[in-house]
């Protein structure tokens, strides 16, 4: 009886071990899809930061959703792309230096993402430097990543 149980256990182990590669194979396409989505998101997010650094308003605003909300470092809430565009048009009228350091990034099921950056924004001619934490919420809309909400919170100078 004991050997029959041992043989049954061995048989089950061998049968289930054959399923392990199938389970791994099923996960590989999902992992590959997530990596593809992650790379696509990172390119989009980097392009937005680059457009801001280069003061390219049109390219920068192309990343925003029409109903986006922006809370700037002064605590002003800007609702919708036209209000956000007007704000950044005024910002980009100045010469500035922008530095962004990624602190955290989470992508959820290739449908939404959150990015937390430490930013340094300097207007040399005015002697102004802003150190802040920026939290950007993204949504994937019709196959395109769009910035849906962005909050910039000033922090003490490091």
């Amino acid at each position: 009886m004991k050997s029959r149980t041992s043989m049954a256990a061995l048989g089950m182990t061998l049968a289930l071990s054959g399923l392990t590669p199938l389970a791994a194979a099923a996960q590989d396409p999902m992992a590959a899809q997530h990596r593809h989505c992650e790379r696509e998101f990172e390119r989009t997010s980097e392009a937005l930061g680059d457009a801001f650094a280069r003061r390219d308003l049109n390219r920068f605003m192309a990343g925003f959703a029409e109903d986006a909300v922006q809370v700037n470092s002064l605590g002003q809430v800007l609702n919708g792309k036209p209000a956000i565009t007007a704000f950044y048009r005024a910002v980009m009228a100045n010469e500035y230096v922008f530095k962004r350091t990624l602190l955290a990034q989470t992508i959820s099921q290739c449908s939404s993402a959150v990015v937390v950056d430490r930013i340094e924004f300097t207007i040399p001619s005015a002697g102004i430097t802003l150190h802040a934490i920026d939290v950007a919420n993204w949504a994937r809309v019709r196959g395109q990543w769009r910035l849906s909400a962005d909050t910039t919170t000033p922090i003490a100078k490091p």
Side-chain angles (χ1 to χ4, degrees):
M1 179 88 150
K2 193 174 193 181
S3 75
R4 213 179 245 185
T5 305
S6 295
M7 289 298 283
L10 177 61
M12 286 297 286
T13 302
L14 290 173
L16 291 175
S17 69
L19 295 178
T20 303
L22 295 176
Q27 289 178 350
D28 284 346
M30 290 172 56
Q33 181 181 7
H34 182 74
R35 284 190 302 274
H36 172 75
C37 179
E38 194 172 63
R39 285 191 302 271
E40 179 185 78
F41 174 73
E42 288 169 354
R43 281 191 303 271
T44 301
S45 180
E46 286 295 322
L48 190 82
D50 183 60
F52 182 74
R54 295 176 185 272
R55 295 189 350 251
D56 184 339
L57 182 63
N58 291 332
R59 199 170 117 222
F60 179 68
M61 291 310 302
F64 281 77
E66 291 300 319
D67 60 349
V69 175
Q70 170 81 47
V71 180
N72 67 23
S73 62
L74 301 173
Q76 298 169 315
V77 178
L78 308 168
N79 289 301
K81 198 169 182 176
I84 297 168
T85 301
F87 171 75
Y88 281 110
R89 181 175 287 115
V91 169
M92 290 182 181
N94 298 288
E95 290 289 330
Y96 57 80
V97 178
F98 175 71
K99 180 181 174 190
R100 169 184 179 226
T101 304
L102 178 66
L103 299 177
Q105 174 179 290
T106 302
I107 300 171
S108 181
Q109 299 178 352
C110 205
S111 62
S112 65
V114 176
V115 176
V116 180
D117 293 315
R118 179 182 194 102
I119 61 170
E120 183 177 309
F121 177 82
T122 304
I123 301 175
S125 63
I128 297 171
T129 298
L130 167 71
H131 294 271
I133 298 295
D134 188 78
V135 179
N137 293 283
W138 294 77
R140 192 163 166 86
V141 181
R142 292 186 291 282
Q144 300 288 316
W145 286 103
R146 294 290 179 242
L147 188 57
S148 59
D150 189 57
T151 303
T152 304
T153 305
I155 57 173
K157 190 175 182 178

